[in-house]
Each structure stands twice: as C-alpha cells, then as structure tokens.
C-alpha cells in the first residue's frame, strides 16, 4: 500500500505537488495551507472582523466553514447562514447536514426558511415558470434568492463580509460559459474578493478559489465531515453548455497539468482588468429598500409574482 510522503502512514490520496501520496492528516494540512496562501495573496480578510459564511450543505461550503474555523477561528468571528429553499427531497437533508456541522464545529449557524419567511419556494418558482412557459431555469431564480438573502442578512446583522464556497472549477465553468455567450461583463465579479460598492452591499470573498472539486471532496472525506449526498432535482443536465464546458476543462487539465491554474491566473491578471464596465447607478428598491439598478429588485419581483394574486405583467 502507498505510504504518506511525509510521515509514512497509509496514503489517502495522490498529490501531484508531492509526486506521491499523503495521509489524511497531511492532506488536510496541505489543503489548508493552499487556502491560507490564497487568503494572504489576495488579502481576503483585510478589515474583516465578522465573517458570514453561506452554507448550502454541499461539499464546498462545508469544507469552507471547517477550514476557515481551523485557520482563523481564533482571530475573527465566524457565523454560518443556511437558506432552506423548499426543494422537496433535498432541502430537508441540506438543513440537517448544516445543523450537524454546527454541532461538530461549535460555530453558530442561522437559518432562513424561504417558504415560512418569504412565502414562496424554489419549487413554486420552478412550477410557475414551467407552467407559464417562461424560460427561466430554477438555478437562475435560486442564485438570485441566495445572493439577495445572504447579503441582506449580512448587512442587517453587521457582518463585514460574506464568504462563499465557490471553487476553482465553479469559477472556470462560469467564466467559460460567459466568454462563449459573450456576456463578458459578468466576469468582473468572478474574483477572489469583490469589494463593497454600497453601504448595503457587503464585500464578498471566495477563499476556495484555488481548490478543485476533487480537492474539496477529498478534504471533507479526510475529515469525515457530513455533506448532502442527494442531488438537487433542478441541477442542470450534463448536456447543458456549462457542464459540458466544465467537463472539457477537466479533460484538458488531465492532459496538460496546470492548465486550470494558467486559465484562472490569466483571467484575474489579464482578462478581467481589461474589461471596461460603466459604473452602475444604484437606487433603493421600492419594496425592500435594498440597492438595485432598477425600480424593484429582482428578489422582490420574484416574490411578488409568486405570492400575489396580481398579474405579473407589472414586472415582466
Ligand atoms: Fe439551487 Fe440549482 Fe443548486 Fe438546485 S442545483 S440548489 S436549484 S442552484
Ligand atoms: Zn502523513
Ligand atoms: Zn427589493
């Protein structure tokens, strides 16, 4: 059996940087040092005393909270936030997993229940758009809802920043999709640290941006952490553009090791800085008062459409 290159214990996983296997403990330290280097390189925690971590219950957010607690739990105040999205067969398990992680780490986690607190669910949104034959995928609604609620909670509770579990593969998949579709202005937000641009918009950080899917999965297994095993019923099919691009990027990396690092570094150093964007004027949403470039923010539009008897024409 392969042995750990550092201590000689049974090897857990092959690590190309070590040209050999590492045991669970040394693999965990290796991953944590990668995150720590990233945090320092991009000054992700500059000025941050209270950090809110978005917890979906998936491998990335679970690894994120665990790693941040191990590395900085004695220096900054950490809290988790889980949003129960009301997705049958998925949301219940997600909430239980997050609850378990809170018990394991001792980190406080707060919960928002979309159905109970806001009167609609992602299932209701998916059913509505399907019935109306409106091409709005559930993930698009879900993304809007999660971004809005995480930011709103952080602003109201006085957090300095929100951390999310976006990893290297997520960022490259998103970047590739936007390059192919020509939506390059969307790329400017795909950075390790996105500064606040308004008193009601908190800074966003992505400490796992140098870890791959495989690395976060190995990390949660090495540390025996609970993660949601059920797949969301609304996950896009493998035949959609984004998953296909992600799979191609993985194939290139297998033939050309270091391809993903080259891609992400060029994205941050060359591509994003060369994108010219006009500053967006922000107003207060007529309904909730949160910043928006239009009269009523996307979250309030979705909520109104799904919870009121009035026609949706007002917003469509
Ligand atoms: Fe939301 Fe889509 Fe993820 Fe399901 S797969 S939780 S709908 S973003
Ligand atoms: Zn070892
Ligand atoms: Zn609003």
């Amino acid at each position: 059996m392969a042995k750990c290159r550092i201590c000689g214990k049974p090897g857990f996983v092959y690590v190309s940087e070590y040209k050999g296997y590492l045991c669970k403990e040394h693999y965990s330290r290796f991953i944590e040092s990668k995150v720590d280097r990233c945090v320092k390189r991009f000054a992700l925690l500059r000025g941050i005393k209270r950090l809110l971590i978005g917890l979906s219950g998936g491998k990335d957010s679970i690894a994120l909270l665990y790693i941040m607690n191990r590395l900085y739990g004695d220096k900054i105040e950490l809290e988790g936030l889980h949003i129960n999205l009301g997705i049958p067969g998925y949301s219940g398990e997600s909430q239980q997993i997050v609850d378990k992680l809170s018990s394991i780490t001792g980190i406080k986690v707060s919960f928002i229940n979309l159905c109970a607190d806001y009167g609609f669910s992602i299932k209701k949104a998916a059913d509505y758009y399907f019935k109306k034959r409106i091409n709005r995928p559930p993930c698009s609604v879900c993304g809007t809802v999660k971004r809005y609620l995480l930011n709103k909670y952080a602003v109201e509770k006085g957090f300095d920043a929100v951390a999310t579990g976006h990893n290297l593969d997520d960022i490259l998949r998103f970047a590739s999709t936007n390059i192919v579709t020509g939506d390059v202005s969307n790329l400017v937000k795909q950075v390790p640290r996105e500064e606040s641009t308004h008193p009601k918009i908190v800074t966003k950080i992505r400490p796992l941006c140098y870890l791959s899917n495989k690395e976060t999965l190995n990390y949660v297994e090495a540390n025996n952490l609970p993660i949601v095993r059920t797949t969301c019923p609304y996950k896009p099919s493998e035949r959609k553009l984004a998953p296909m691009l992600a799979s191609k990027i993985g194939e290139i990396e297998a033939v050309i090791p270091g391809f993903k690092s080259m891609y992400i570094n060029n994205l941050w150093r060359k591509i994003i800085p060369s994108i010219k964007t006009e500053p967006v004027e922000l107003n207060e949403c007529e309904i909730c008062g949160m910043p928006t470039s239009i009269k009523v923010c996307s979250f309030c539009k979705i909520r109104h459409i799904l919870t009121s008897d009035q026609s949706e024409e007002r917003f469509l």
Side-chain angles (χ1 to χ4, degrees):
M1 184 197 236
K3 291 188 174 166
C4 173
R5 288 292 291 240
I6 298 174
C7 68
K9 283 186 190 160
F12 167 63
V13 66
Y14 181 86
V15 179
S16 55
E17 284 91 333
Y18 279 84
K19 295 189 172 59
Y21 281 75
L22 291 183
C23 66
K24 289 184 176 180
E25 194 191 327
H26 283 114
Y27 182 74
S28 300
R29 300 299 87 77
F30 162 70
I31 292 294
E32 288 158 12
S33 75
K34 264 182 109 165
V35 174
D36 190 41
R37 280 203 303 277
C38 173
V39 166
K40 293 194 169 116
R41 180 175 168 192
F42 295 103
L44 295 189
L45 295 179
R46 181 172 21 91
I48 293 173
K49 293 192 181 73
R50 298 186 68 224
L51 179 66
L52 181 68
I53 298 183
L55 290 170
S56 67
K59 65 183 184 1
D60 301 309
S61 63
I62 295 289
L64 175 65
L65 183 117
Y66 197 79
I67 293 173
M68 294 305 275
N69 188 34
R70 278 192 57 93
L71 292 175
Y72 317 111
D74 56 344
K75 298 183 191 81
I76 55 173
E77 187 187 330
L78 299 171
E79 186 179 319
L81 178 68
H82 174 75
I83 301 160
N84 185 315
L85 300 161
I87 300 175
Y90 176 74
S91 292
E93 183 189 342
S94 306
Q95 181 160 341
Q96 277 174 10
I97 294 291
V98 169
D99 212 22
K100 247 189 226 171
L101 185 75
S102 175
S103 311
I104 293 170
T105 58
I107 301 279
K108 179 186 169 193
V109 175
S110 298
F111 296 89
I112 290 176
N113 188 305
L114 196 55
C115 228
D117 300 334
Y118 292 92
F120 71 98
S121 65
I122 296 302
K123 178 181 179 344
K124 193 169 180 182
D127 291 348
Y128 174 86
Y129 289 113
F130 180 75
K131 202 169 122 207
K132 294 273 174 182
R133 298 172 189 258
I134 297 170
N135 183 19
R136 175 132 202 213
C139 293
S140 148
V141 179
C142 192
T144 300
V145 164
K146 288 188 285 196
R147 275 192 301 277
Y148 174 90
L149 291 176
L150 260 177
N151 180 67
K152 185 166 183 278
Y153 185 90
V155 168
E156 288 173 355
K157 303 288 177 186
F159 286 92
D160 302 306
V162 165
T164 54
H166 293 98
N167 67 32
L168 176 64
D169 292 312
D170 296 330
I171 296 173
L172 292 183
R173 186 189 61 232
F174 185 84
S176 306
T177 311
N178 282 286
I179 289 169
V180 171
T181 57
D183 299 322
V184 283
S185 60
N186 287 341
L187 295 181
V188 294
K189 294 191 168 186
Q190 296 304 301
V191 286
R193 176 169 166 139
E194 201 188 326
E195 298 294 342
S196 161
T197 51
H198 186 282
K200 285 186 180 175
I201 299 177
V202 292
T203 296
K204 316 270 181 333
I205 63 169
R206 302 179 173 97
L208 305 189
C209 59
Y210 270 122
L211 299 185
S212 67
N213 273 326
K214 193 98 191 81
E215 286 177 315
T216 55
L217 185 61
N218 286 336
Y219 183 85
V220 295
E221 280 180 7
N223 290 280
N224 211 14
L225 299 174
I227 58 167
V228 184
R229 299 283 171 184
T230 308
T231 304
C232 173
Y234 301 123
K235 190 175 175 217
S237 109
E238 295 298 311
R239 297 205 58 76
K240 293 274 184 209
L241 179 62
M244 282 166 78
L245 285 169
S247 152
K248 289 293 161 207
I249 291 168
E251 283 174 27
I252 299 173
E253 174 74 24
V255 180
I256 310 172
F259 169 76
K260 288 184 189 175
S261 302
M262 182 175 71
Y263 188 173
I264 197 101
N265 286 328
N266 282 330
L267 182 72
W268 289 332
R269 285 193 203 130
K270 296 179 184 169
I271 301 173
I272 291 179
S274 70
I275 298 172
K276 304 229 178 328
T277 48
E278 296 296 323
V280 181
E281 198 184 314
L282 295 172
N283 323 298
E284 290 198 342
C285 168
E286 279 180 1
I287 297 178
C288 71
M290 293 302 282
T292 174
S293 57
I294 40 185
K295 278 187 173 179
V296 173
C297 76
S298 308
F299 178 87
C300 287
K301 276 185 198 169
I302 295 169
R303 187 182 181 197
H304 179 87
I305 288 167
L306 297 172
T307 57
S308 81
D309 294 332
Q310 293 173 39
S311 157
E312 69 272 18
E313 301 304 324
R314 180 181 166 197
F315 298 122
L316 290 177

